[in-house]
């Protein structure tokens, strides 16, 4: 018997749409790398880091769709967000005040 796999057209369209968004991010930032993180029932988070240090993320409805999207986009995917990959992220004043500024007496962004 032939190995038959059910293809969900809706999932394929979602993966293709996410892949286009990933491609746009990559093009805008001189290339990109990513990491897929499981979020439970919520789906999966695709963290993107551009070659210029800009970062962003996209949430996919399932881990499988996230994996399809990064595969279709052609970016390098890392198993974990650590080491050299994490060191590529460049943060600005906004991120620092959001991460710790409120606790350390920095300006609020609200």
């Amino acid at each position: 018997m032939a190995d038959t796999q059910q293809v969900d057209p809706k999932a394929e369209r979602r993966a293709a749409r996410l892949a286009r968004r990933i491609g746009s991010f990559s093009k805008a930032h001189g290339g990109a790398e990513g990491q897929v993180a499981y979020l439970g029932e919520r789906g999966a988070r695709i963290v993107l880091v551009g070659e210029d240090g800009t970062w962003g993320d996209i949430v996919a409805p399932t881990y499988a769709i996230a994996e399809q999207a990064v595969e279709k986009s052609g970016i390098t995917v890392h198993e974990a967000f650590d080491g050299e990959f994490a060191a590529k992220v460049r943060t600005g004043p906004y991120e620092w005040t959001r991460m710790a500024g409120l606790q350390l007496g920095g300006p609020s962004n609200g």
Side-chain angles (χ1 to χ4, degrees), residues 11-66:
E12 287 287 324
R13 286 191 303 273
R14 284 183 174 172
R17 191 167 42 250
L18 289 170
R20 284 192 300 273
R21 290 178 62 193
I22 293 167
S24 293
F25 179 91
S26 180
K27 185 177 178 183
H29 299 286
E33 298 177 45
Q35 188 259 337
V36 180
Y38 180 66
L39 295 175
E41 287 183 25
R42 182 111 167 99
R45 178 181 186 207
I46 304 166
V47 179
L48 302 169
V49 179
E51 288 299 316
D52 62 0
T54 303
W55 66 278
D57 66 348
I58 301 170
V59 176
T62 68
Y63 193 84
I65 290 174

Side-chain angles (χ1 to χ4, degrees), residues 32-35 47-49 51 70 73-78 85 88:
E33 298 177 45
Q35 188 259 337
V47 179
L48 302 169
V49 179
E51 288 299 316
V70 294
S73 71
I75 65 169
T76 300
V77 181
H78 297 269
F85 179 50
K88 290 182 178 186

Side-chain angles (χ1 to χ4, degrees), residues 89-108:
V89 175
R90 299 290 170 249
T91 56
Y94 173 79
E95 288 86 4
W96 282 104
T97 56
R98 295 301 297 166
M99 289 187 284
L102 298 174
Q103 292 81 9
L104 299 175
S108 69

